[in-house]
Amino acid sequence: MAGRREPPLMRTGLGSGQPPSRGSRIAAAVAVGVTLGCVCAFLYPDGLISRSTDSALHWRRRADSVTCETSEEVTNLQSQLASLERKNADFRKQINELSVKLQMAGQGKNQALYSAGPFGTVKALRTNPTVMPDESTNPRLAKILQQVAVKKEIIVAVANSNVKQTLEMWFTNIKRVGITNYLVVALDDSIENFCKSKDVPVYRRDPDEGIDSIGKTGGNHAVSALKFRILREFLQLGYSVLLSDIDIMFFQNPFDHLYRDSDIESMSDGHDNMTAYGFNDVFDEPSMGWARYAHTMRIWVFNSGFFFIRPTIPSIELLDRVAGRLSREPKSWDQAVFNEELFFPSHPGYVGLHASKRTMDIYLFMNSKVLFKTVRKSAQLRKLKPVIVHLNYHPDKEARMKAVIEFYVHGKQNALDHFPDGSE
């Protein structure tokens, strides 16, 4: 009769009275090892083998050297710091260049990331991002702008000795309004000294053979053409500039009346709503019969003597384009080139400028044609107080400027009456 078999668990292992299996012995050994390791880690957190005396002294000497440097070590550290600062400046410049390249390379690349909203709600981007400021462009000008500019914005005028009297009227009027963030870019020593004597913020550019020769002897148009090259440094430093000719009278702070939603905000040479803001002009050619009427879009040009320009890539490209053309075409009028580059669309053989633009209110930023042809003859419009009046349409500038001040500042109602609409 066969005997009763024991279950396998009872035949082997600890409960059977027989030696444990090989796997059980390994598991027990691992458990003991882990336990001993934990105990050692708790009792000797720094390890079982202590650092040698020499090693300890070495660490103490390093700690002591932090608080007690020798003059040689200080000099070495200063040299290393200067080297790091130079490298840091180089890195900032490279980052700026890369950011510009990325911005340009990324234009038009991300349309797939956007989806159109419901009908009538879609609004395209109008305000381009500003560039990263690069003070290495002109450290001396950067220091001046830090002291004079307000909220990274500044009025800039360019002048030489040929216009000293008009310039004095310009900055005297600015001071009367209470505007502090303005700067005269002096093109010769005489204007620099004159501004300093009148406590007027002034910046004398570093010597530049080409610009200096024009700046010292050039007439109004020659000097006006220089401003596009000069303004580039202001934009590279990250500042928005309100460029002003000196035949302009200020009656309010212009920075309170800017939109800042475009690369360029400019006053217009237009004299009414149609000419300033645009209209559909129909061209009639009877010989074409049925197709005799051709519709054209018209707008009078932006005035290159008063515009607000933000530090963006399209703005800097505009300055480069205009300055480049004027250097190649010395007989060209800077205002004509300014508008051609700003408005001409891309076409075969030409890539247009992709810059956003805004026309300023013609009754706040008033040209002298609007004033003498329209405003002074209207009882309602005479009550308006403009931000500025630009005497751009009339050659007898100083006489009319004085009359404009009498009219708007001193309230002399007949101060403008004896002038003709146009020039004599």
Side-chain angles (χ1 to χ4, degrees), residues 41-88:
F42 178 79
L43 296 176
Y44 305 99
D46 294 328
L48 294 175
I49 302 175
S50 61
R51 290 189 177 94
S52 65
T53 303
D54 292 340
S55 177
L57 290 174
H58 173 70
W59 282 100
R60 281 196 296 272
R61 283 196 299 270
R62 288 185 58 188
D64 292 341
S65 67
V66 174
T67 57
C68 186
E69 298 279 3
T70 65
S71 60
E72 183 179 353
E73 290 172 330
V74 171
T75 302
N76 185 37
L77 288 173
Q78 290 175 340
S79 175
Q80 293 178 13
L81 179 61
S83 176
L84 289 173
E85 288 177 346
R86 289 193 297 269
K87 291 180 180 179
N88 191 31

Side-chain angles (χ1 to χ4, degrees), residues 6-24:
E6 294 180 353
L9 185 61
M10 298 297 294
R11 293 200 308 267
T12 61
L14 297 175
S16 63
Q18 297 182 10
S21 66
R22 186 169 180 268
S24 299

Side-chain angles (χ1 to χ4, degrees), residues 307-324:
F307 59 85
F308 180 71
I309 184 167
R310 297 175 57 250
T312 66
I313 292 298
S315 296
I316 295 175
E317 184 182 359
L318 171 65
L319 298 180
D320 287 353
R321 286 185 177 217
V322 176

Side-chain angles (χ1 to χ4, degrees), residues 52-319:
S52 65
T53 303
D54 292 340
S55 177
L57 290 174
H58 173 70
W59 282 100
R60 281 196 296 272
R61 283 196 299 270
R62 288 185 58 188
D64 292 341
S65 67
V66 174
T67 57
C68 186
E69 298 279 3
T70 65
S71 60
E72 183 179 353
E73 290 172 330
V74 171
T75 302
N76 185 37
L77 288 173
Q78 290 175 340
S79 175
Q80 293 178 13
L81 179 61
S83 176
L84 289 173
E85 288 177 346
R86 289 193 297 269
K87 291 180 180 179
N88 191 31
D90 292 338
F91 285 144
R92 285 199 303 268
K93 185 175 182 180
Q94 292 175 13
I95 290 172
N96 184 41
E97 293 174 352
L98 287 173
S99 66
V100 171
K101 291 179 180 179
L102 287 172
Q103 182 178 351
M104 297 179 66
Q107 291 177 353
K109 301 293 185 181
N110 297 325
Q111 288 93 333
L113 299 179
Y114 301 95
S115 59
F119 179 82
T121 64
V122 177
K123 300 293 181 183
L125 294 177
R126 291 169 177 80
T127 307
N128 284 309
T130 57
V131 299
M132 182 182 297
D134 182 10
E135 293 191 0
S136 65
T137 301
N138 190 330
R140 186 165 63 87
L141 177 58
K143 186 176 181 179
I144 295 174
L145 293 177
Q146 289 171 4
Q147 298 171 349
V148 179
V150 175
K151 297 180 179 179
K152 305 284 283 188
E153 297 177 341
I154 190 167
I155 299 173
V156 173
V158 181
N160 64 9
S161 297
N162 295 336
V163 293
K164 182 180 292 186
Q165 187 172 351
T166 309
L167 176 65
E168 185 171 12
M169 294 178 64
W170 179 83
F171 63 65
T172 299
N173 200 252
I174 283 183
K175 289 181 177 181
R176 181 188 56 77
V177 176
I179 301 169
T180 59
N181 52 329
Y182 68 100
L183 182 70
V184 175
V185 177
L187 297 179
D188 55 45
D189 295 336
S190 176
I191 285 294
E192 180 184 16
N193 295 331
F194 176 65
C195 288
K196 289 181 178 178
S197 69
K198 298 294 183 178
D199 196 26
V200 171
V202 63
Y203 164 63
R204 181 76 162 93
R205 299 183 72 257
D206 291 333
D208 185 307
E209 182 177 351
I211 290 182
D212 285 350
S213 61
I214 297 174
K216 292 177 180 178
T217 60
N220 289 345
H221 285 299
V223 171
S224 182
L226 295 178
K227 62 195 175 193
F228 299 98
R229 185 185 299 270
I230 293 171
L231 290 183
R232 192 187 203 279
E233 292 183 342
F234 288 79
L235 268 59
Q236 284 182 276
L237 293 171
Y239 289 83
S240 297
V241 175
L242 184 58
L243 187 280
S244 173
D245 281 354
I246 59 172
D247 58 343
I248 290 176
M249 296 289 96
F250 290 77
F251 302 101
Q252 298 185 62
N253 191 325
F255 294 107
D256 296 335
H257 300 272
L258 297 175
Y259 285 81
R260 300 174 178 83
D261 63 347
S262 305
D263 297 307
I264 305 289
E265 289 183 59
S266 178
M267 71 173 297
S268 172
D269 272 2
H271 59 89
D272 55 22
N273 287 349
M274 287 180 58
T275 55
Y277 309 138
F279 64 103
N280 182 3
D281 186 34
V282 180
F283 177 78
D284 185 9
E285 190 176 6
S287 63
M288 288 297 296
W290 175 83
R292 63 182 292 179
Y293 300 111
H295 291 258
T296 67
M297 302 308 300
R298 299 283 298 279
I299 183 173
W300 286 30
V301 295
F302 280 3
N303 189 287
S304 64
F306 191 86
F307 59 85
F308 180 71
I309 184 167
R310 297 175 57 250
T312 66
I313 292 298
S315 296
I316 295 175
E317 184 182 359
L318 171 65
L319 298 180

